[in-house]
Amino acid sequence: MYRNKEEKSKSKSKVLSENLQIPQTISRSTAYIELSGNSEAIIEGCKGVLEYGDDIIHLNIGKNEVRFSGTDLVIKTYFNEQVIIVGNILTIDFS
Amino acid sequence: MGYITFTASGGFSERFINLCSQNRVILWDIKNIDGKIYANTSIKGYKKIRESAKRSSMKVRIYEKHGLPFFMNKHRGRAGFLVGLVFFLMIISLLSTRIWTINVVGNEKVTDKQVLEVFKDLGVYSGARISKINVEDVQELAKSELGDLSWLALNIRGSAATIEVREQIKKPKVEKQNPCNIVASYGGQIVKLEVYEGQVNQELGSAVAKGDLIISGVIENLDGSSELRRANGLVIAKTDRVLTQEQSKTIRRKVPIREKKRYRLIFFGLDFPLFWLSNNNENAVYYKHEHRLVLADSILPIGFAKEGYKIYDEYDINLQDDVCELIAFSDFTKQQKEKLGSIEILDEKIRIEKNEDKCNIKGVYVCKESISQKQEIFVEN
C-alpha cells in the first residue's frame, strides 16, 4: 500500500515511464546529471547543497546524494533546482 | 543592468546557498575561498539576500559593484558629464540611421561621379536617412536614368551603401555592305597596290591627287554589262607633308595677385561655412576643393572644403629667344605626334626661323602611308 498521495503518484509516473519507455527524468522525480568531460556538470533536480568547498561539493538530489570531489570546484549557478558545477572533477560518488 | 559581487562569511555557507535558492535569489560564480563565499547576484537579489543571511548566521558584505546603474549613481553629481553622455548616445544613435559611405563597383565606362549624381537625385547620398530610402524604387529609377547599364543593385549594410552595376555590352558596328569605290585620301605616289575586290584604276608608281579614283566598284563584264561591288584593297603611297608652328615672343599671361579663401565644414550632407566670404570683383575666379576623411579605403561623409576667389591680373611677358624657341619646339613636337604619330616617316627636314617678333618652325616630311578611302556609290532606283 502506498503511504501517501505523493508516493503513489511518483510510483505511477515511474510505471508509466517504464511502460512507455521514456526517460524517467521527465517525471521530475529523478535528478538529471549531465557531464561535459570532467570540467563541467549540470545537475537538475537538486534539492539542496549539503557541503561546499573548493575540493568537494555535496548535493541532495532527492532520494540520493551526490558528491563531486576534485580541485577548484565552483558552483557556476544555482537557481530553480539547477546547479552547474565547474572545475576539475575527479570523482563522483552516489550514496 | 547591474550586478553585485558580495562576500558571505561566519555562518553556515551551505544553508545560506540553499535558502537563497528557496527564496528565488539567483546566484552565480559561487566560490568558497578559505571558508568565505564569493558570489554574484542582481541588485534585486541582493535586497532579498539579507533574510537568508540572517537565518544562516552569515555576514554579507558588498565586494564589487558592476553595471550602468552604479556608474550613473557615482556620477550623478556631474551634470555636464551626464549631459555629454546623453548627447553622445544621441549622436551615435542618430548617425547609425544615416548613410556614411557609398561605394560604386563594377563600372568601367560609366564613371563613379555619374552614378553617384543620379543616386543623389534619388535621395541616396552621404548623410541620407536609411529608413527613407526605398531600395527597389531607387534601383528601378536609377537603372532607367543610367541607360548604359544592364543590371544595378543597391545594397545597404549598416551605414555603408554599395552600388553594384553591370554595364551593357554594345553590339559591334557592322560595316555597311553598300557598293563603293576607293579614292585617295591624300595626294602622293602609289608604292604598293593590292586589290581584293573591284577594278583597279591606277598603276603602281602613278601619282594621285586627293579624291582620285584608285579602285573602282563598278565592274564591267565581258558581255558589256556592269555590276556594282564593294571595292576593297590596300593602297600605300609616298606623300609629302608640311607642319608649321609659330610662337610669338610676347605672350599674355594671367597671374594671381590676390586670393580670398575660407573653410567649410562637411558633416553628413551638411555643408556650412566657418567664416564670412565676399567678393566684389567680377573677374575673380571661384574655386572649391573638398577633403574628406578616409577610413579603410572608404570616404567618410566628414571633412572640410576650402573655397575662395582668385583675382588675376593679365599682362604681357617678353620671352627670351631661347625660351621662345623652346616653347615653339615643344608645341611643334606635340603637333607632329598628333598628326604623324601613326605614319611612317621616310625623311624629314626641320627649319627654325627667328626674327624680332616671333619664332617659326617648319617641318617637311616624306611619309609612307595608307591613302585608301572608301566612297559610297549612290545608285538611283
Side-chain angles (χ1 to χ4, degrees), chain B residues 9-250:
Chain B
S9 58
F12 305 100
S13 56
E14 290 83 5
R15 183 169 161 74
F16 171 70
I17 294 167
N18 293 331
L19 286 168
C20 285
S21 178
Q22 277 173 25
N23 293 333
R24 306 190 72 76
V25 176
I26 305 170
L27 301 179
W28 69 93
D29 282 347
I30 309 162
K31 289 169 196 163
N32 190 342
I33 302 168
D34 300 329
K36 204 173 185 180
I37 298 264
Y38 289 80
N40 295 329
T41 187
S42 61
I43 298 169
K44 222 175 174 180
Y46 189 74
K47 285 174 185 169
K48 291 201 296 188
I49 225 165
R50 296 195 174 278
E51 194 193 328
S52 310
K54 202 176 172 183
R55 285 173 63 189
S56 58
S57 311
M58 296 288 275
K59 280 184 183 174
V60 179
R61 294 271 182 279
I62 292 174
Y63 185 67
E64 272 176 354
K65 293 172 181 173
H66 311 268
L68 189 66
F70 299 111
F71 180 80
M72 296 294 281
N73 192 37
K74 193 177 170 184
H75 296 95
R76 70 174 184 271
R78 300 176 185 175
F81 175 78
L82 286 174
V83 169
L85 187 70
V86 170
F87 190 67
F88 172 75
L89 292 172
M90 278 170 67
I91 291 271
I92 289 290
S93 60
L94 181 78
L95 297 187
S96 63
T97 61
R98 310 262 163 176
I99 287 182
W100 282 54
T101 59
I102 305 173
N103 289 320
V104 184
V105 292
N107 56 324
E108 285 174 7
K109 287 173 191 165
V110 183
T111 60
D112 284 9
K113 199 179 170 186
Q114 281 176 295
V115 177
L116 291 173
E117 271 177 13
V118 168
F119 273 83
K120 190 176 181 181
D121 293 342
L122 297 170
V124 182
Y125 51 88
S126 292
R129 261 177 89 170
I130 295 166
S131 60
K132 281 192 175 177
I133 298 168
N134 187 329
V135 175
E136 284 179 9
D137 286 358
V138 168
Q139 284 178 170
E140 202 68 34
L141 290 167
K143 205 184 157 208
S144 61
E145 288 274 324
L146 296 159
D148 293 338
L149 304 178
S150 63
W151 179 80
L152 179 149
L154 171 65
N155 300 316
I156 300 173
R157 281 183 189 167
S159 295
T162 308
I163 301 164
E164 282 188 57
V165 296
R166 295 283 179 277
E167 290 177 0
Q168 276 179 3
I169 300 166
K170 286 185 178 172
K171 59 181 180 184
K173 278 184 182 175
V174 180
E175 208 178 330
K176 284 181 181 176
Q177 293 300 316
N178 295 340
C180 70
N181 295 320
I182 285 181
V183 296
S185 62
Y186 202 84
Q189 188 188 10
I190 298 169
V191 293
K192 191 175 183 182
L193 184 61
E194 286 176 12
V195 181
Y196 307 135
E197 185 78 56
Q199 197 162 332
V200 68
N201 216 44
Q202 299 287 345
E203 285 177 7
L204 195 69
S206 60
V208 288
K210 188 181 177 183
D212 281 357
L213 181 67
I214 302 171
I215 304 169
S216 174
V218 184
I219 296 172
E220 286 179 9
N221 296 321
L222 291 170
D223 61 354
S225 64
S226 60
E227 62 178 294
L228 296 174
R229 293 272 182 88
R230 186 171 177 78
N232 192 11
L234 178 72
V235 185
I236 305 289
K238 200 190 267 184
T239 58
D240 295 326
R241 287 186 178 253
V242 178
L243 296 179
T244 55
Q245 182 69 44
E246 190 181 289
Q247 176 64 50
S248 171
K249 283 188 180 175
T250 311

